[in-house]
Amino acid sequence: GLLWPTILAVRWYVGPMVQNRPDFYFPYFRLAEELRAAGYDGRGTIIVHFHRAQMGGNLKNQFPKAAVLSTKYPFYRPPGTGRGPCLIVWWTDAGAKPPRVLVDFARGLGLRATAKMRAGTVSAAIPRRGGEKMTLAYLMLPEKAGGCR
């Protein structure tokens, strides 16, 4: 009866130390806290670049009131919330600037750079990875910018 829970507990604890890509252990909760501190209120639209892992689904879990769009599924358009800023997010290991596919995707939604746009990065330590951090870059556009709904 306790074998399976023990195996899962050991995997959860040891996994980040031995896996090449510790995607299951990324600290999305901490990154969401950092995004909130940067001014994202959890409403509006989040647009993510699919690069390494299912960032969109993990951010949707942290911001359940947001509409999340991903470059991996460009034709999927969830219903908008009707209010809130637009948050464009990508992994910094894909580059300091937004990847071309993300820029093209955002432009297809009618988004354009504005003077009120804010840029930044958020990062959090990956548990048991010797100080390795997960870093996301973002652009935050004001409410109702272009295709942000």
Side-chain angles (χ1 to χ4, degrees):
L2 291 179
L3 180 61
W4 189 242
T6 302
I7 289 170
L8 289 176
V10 169
R11 180 177 183 242
W12 176 83
Y13 187 78
V14 176
M17 295 183 277
V18 297
Q19 290 181 341
N20 249 357
R21 284 184 53 191
D23 298 1
F24 294 116
Y25 312 98
F26 287 156
Y28 285 101
F29 177 79
R30 299 265 184 254
L31 294 166
E33 287 177 338
E34 293 290 320
L35 288 168
R36 284 184 190 94
Y40 184 69
D41 64 3
R43 301 174 304 146
T45 303
I46 300 174
I47 302 169
V48 300
H49 173 238
F50 183 85
H51 173 59
R52 286 179 53 190
Q54 295 287 355
M55 182 185 352
N58 284 293
L59 289 177
K60 177 66 174 176
N61 188 40
Q62 300 300 321
F63 299 108
K65 293 183 180 175
V68 178
L69 293 91
S70 172
T71 58
K72 182 170 183 170
Y73 305 105
F75 300 107
Y76 175 68
R77 297 288 192 272
T81 63
R83 55 189 183 153
C86 185
L87 185 68
I88 302 172
V89 186
W90 67 97
W91 300 78
T92 56
D93 65 352
K97 293 182 179 180
R100 184 77 199 168
V101 67
L102 185 59
V103 171
D104 291 344
F105 186 76
R107 284 188 178 145
L109 295 172
L111 298 174
R112 301 288 182 263
T114 70
K116 293 182 178 183
M117 179 175 68
R118 294 192 329 247
T121 60
V122 294
S123 62
I126 301 171
R128 295 173 301 288
R129 289 290 286 192
E132 182 181 347
K133 290 189 173 194
M134 176 184 176
T135 304
L136 302 177
Y138 68 86
L139 296 172
M140 196 176 322
L141 286 80
E143 187 168 334
K144 299 193 187 225
C148 284
R149 333 175 279 281

